[in-house]
Structure formats: structure tokens, C-alpha cells
Amino acid sequence: MLKFSINEMDSRGVVNLVGDLDIEATEMINDDLIPCLLEFQIIQLNFEHVPFVDSSGMGLLLNIVKRLKEQNIEVTISDVKEEVYEVFDLLQIPEIVGEETFV
């Protein structure tokens, strides 16, 4: 089960994700997380404690980034575990969301 916390620093929000990013996280991401992020100008998604992302989780990530960028909110993704990044890279997620998104 995915959980999140948001640390606020001026107009920047750091979202600490903990758990698997999968189908079970869909409702929480869409209903709880994304609305909270719309108040910031910059969002950092910290993946340090995300050990697993499945195909539905990839879709969720793409949805988060797309919705935030549509609102002119800068998005970065940090601290992705190597095995998770390998899946991102295999599915060309960095190319889709922009290489600069991953820090």
C-alpha cells in the first residue's frame, strides 16, 4: 500500500512516497495526492522508499506529471531505486516526461 507525506517549503512541495506504486494506489493518487499538489509551483516526487512500480503505477506516474505540467507546475522525480529506474528506462518514461524530470 502506497502512502505519502508532503513537506512544504515556500512554493515547493516535496512528496515522499512510501510503498508500491501499483493499481491499489490509483484512487489515493487521483483523489488525495494530485489535488494537494496543485497549490505548489514546484513538486519533487521522492521515490526513495518505492521498491516496486507496475504498469498501472507507470500510468499513474505519467498522469501525475502530465496533470501538474498542464498547470505549469515544475515536476522532478528523485531518488529512484536502480531496479525501478531500469523499468522506467525500458519503457522510455524519461523520454516521455523529459530527461530533466529525473534528478
Side-chain angles (χ1 to χ4, degrees):
M1 174 175 207
L2 185 73
K3 296 180 182 180
F4 71 89
S5 63
I6 302 173
N7 296 326
E8 300 180 36
M9 299 163 57
D10 297 321
S11 61
R12 180 175 177 217
V14 178
V15 180
N16 297 298
L17 300 169
V18 178
D20 296 338
L21 187 57
D22 56 19
I23 190 79
E24 292 180 15
T26 303
E27 187 175 325
M28 185 269 302
I29 293 285
N30 291 326
D31 295 347
D32 300 332
L33 179 59
I34 292 176
C36 292
L37 302 181
L38 298 177
E39 66 185 73
F40 297 101
Q41 294 176 353
I42 301 170
I43 293 293
Q44 175 187 343
L45 300 171
N46 183 331
F47 270 66
E48 182 178 6
H49 299 288
V50 177
F52 175 79
V53 179
D54 69 7
S55 59
S56 59
M58 296 288 179
L60 286 171
L61 178 61
L62 292 173
N63 185 44
I64 292 169
V65 173
K66 177 182 174 241
R67 288 185 57 190
L68 294 176
K69 286 186 175 185
E70 285 173 349
Q71 299 297 316
N72 295 316
I73 298 171
E74 181 182 325
V75 182
T76 59
I77 301 168
S78 67
D79 301 307
V80 179
K81 294 186 179 301
E82 184 177 338
E83 56 272 14
V84 172
Y85 189 83
E86 287 175 6
V87 176
F88 287 171
D89 195 41
L90 180 67
L91 297 174
Q92 300 180 331
I93 301 299
E95 288 84 2
I96 294 169
V97 299
E99 295 278 348
E100 70 282 356
T101 304
F102 288 86
V103 295

